[in-house]
Amino acid sequence: MRRLALAGAAALLLAGCGGSDESASDSSAAASSSSESGSELSRMEAAEVVDASFTALEESGAARVVGSIEENGSVQELDLQLQGDDVSGSITMDGVAVQLISVGGQAYVQAPADFWSSFGMPAEFAGQLEGQWVLMPPEAAESFSTLTLSGLVQELRASGGDSVKGEVTTDELDGEKVVVVTQEDGSTFTARDDDAEPFPLLIEDKGDAPATVEFSGFGEPTQIAAPPNPFDLNTLGG
């Protein structure tokens, strides 16, 4: 659960650009006494709940992920639609919002000039790209290929998410029955209390890098298409 893949997602974006889950809502599942919901999920161990939830997320094929993480005084936010091998949305780093689209094996980025300058790009070139959709080079598109729903789940698992320990209780979140895993430091993992579709709904990390991620829109794909008339970065300065 640590870092919740947000730092990983931002790092993937930076790598794709050549460099070396809007904030979460106030609706969080309050701690409650463990009442018998009757579901199999609610009687599982913490790690089993998280594992089942991650599996359901990956198998859904599509989801919206919105979150934020704060580390060393730096705040990163993301709002992404992930479906199949495609992604669209935004990642914000220290107040700089970067729009991205990855579809059909090609990656596109729209960002302010300061973003491009941060990679050492000359000011005149960075100015050309201000607010423009940019077609990234093939090697950058390959980096974006791991920023997918499956890639997110793999990152969450690799960070120890599905080996978590904690108390399993039942509650309600926005009127929906949920199962809540609460760790010793107060971090919580909230999943839909549904044996067939135990989708993750909310992760709140109370550790050294406080983070929140919300999930929604499971199995609901949206149209992701290449932007019109993108600037081909391969031609820049050429």
Side-chain angles (χ1 to χ4, degrees):
M1 265 163 81
R2 294 192 60 77
R3 304 182 189 277
L4 309 175
L6 289 174
L12 285 171
L13 176 64
L14 294 176
C17 292
S20 31
D21 90 297
E22 115 191 17
S23 62
S25 71
D26 293 330
S27 57
S28 61
S32 69
S33 59
S34 180
S35 59
E36 277 298 329
S37 69
S39 69
E40 181 179 343
L41 187 72
S42 66
R43 296 191 295 272
M44 290 180 177
E45 297 294 326
E48 295 175 320
V49 171
V50 177
D51 178 66
S53 192
F54 285 165
T55 298
L57 173 62
E58 186 169 10
E59 292 179 350
S60 72
R64 184 183 179 193
V65 184
V66 179
S68 63
I69 183 171
E70 182 178 355
E71 187 172 23
N72 298 324
S74 176
V75 177
Q76 299 173 4
E77 298 175 302
L78 64 77
D79 185 344
L80 299 175
Q81 174 69 23
L82 303 172
Q83 54 195 54
D85 294 330
D86 299 337
V87 58
S88 67
S90 65
I91 293 179
T92 302
M93 295 162 285
D94 295 325
V96 179
V98 178
Q99 306 297 317
L100 65 97
I101 295 174
S102 179
V103 60
Q106 293 188 305
Y108 307 85
V109 169
Q110 184 185 61
D114 288 347
F115 175 81
W116 301 108
S117 297
S118 68
F119 297 106
M121 184 174 290
E124 61 270 24
F125 289 163
Q128 291 181 40
L129 302 182
E130 172 83 45
Q132 297 290 318
W133 278 106
V134 174
L135 172 63
M136 305 302 290
E139 60 271 20
E142 181 63 26
S143 297
F144 276 71
S145 68
T146 56
L147 188 55
T148 63
L149 190 60
S150 294
L152 174 66
V153 171
Q154 290 175 11
E155 178 73 19
L156 289 166
R157 291 189 186 280
S159 62
D162 57 0
S163 61
V164 66
K165 296 180 180 179
E167 181 185 10
V168 178
T169 60
T170 58
D171 205 344
E172 286 192 1
L173 177 64
D174 297 333
E176 183 173 17
K177 291 182 178 180
V178 295
V179 171
V180 183
V181 174
T182 304
Q183 298 181 85
E184 187 175 352
D185 67 353
S187 299
T188 59
F189 180 96
T190 303
R192 180 183 294 175
D193 191 359
D194 184 328
D195 290 337
E197 296 181 333
F199 299 126
L201 300 177
L202 176 66
I203 301 176
E204 293 184 301
D205 192 329
K206 305 293 187 180
D208 295 336
T212 304
V213 178
E214 293 179 285
F215 302 85
S216 60
F218 308 103
E220 300 175 6
T222 63
Q223 182 177 8
I224 298 180
N229 304 314
F231 186 97
D232 189 344
L233 195 60
N234 291 296
T235 68
L236 187 62

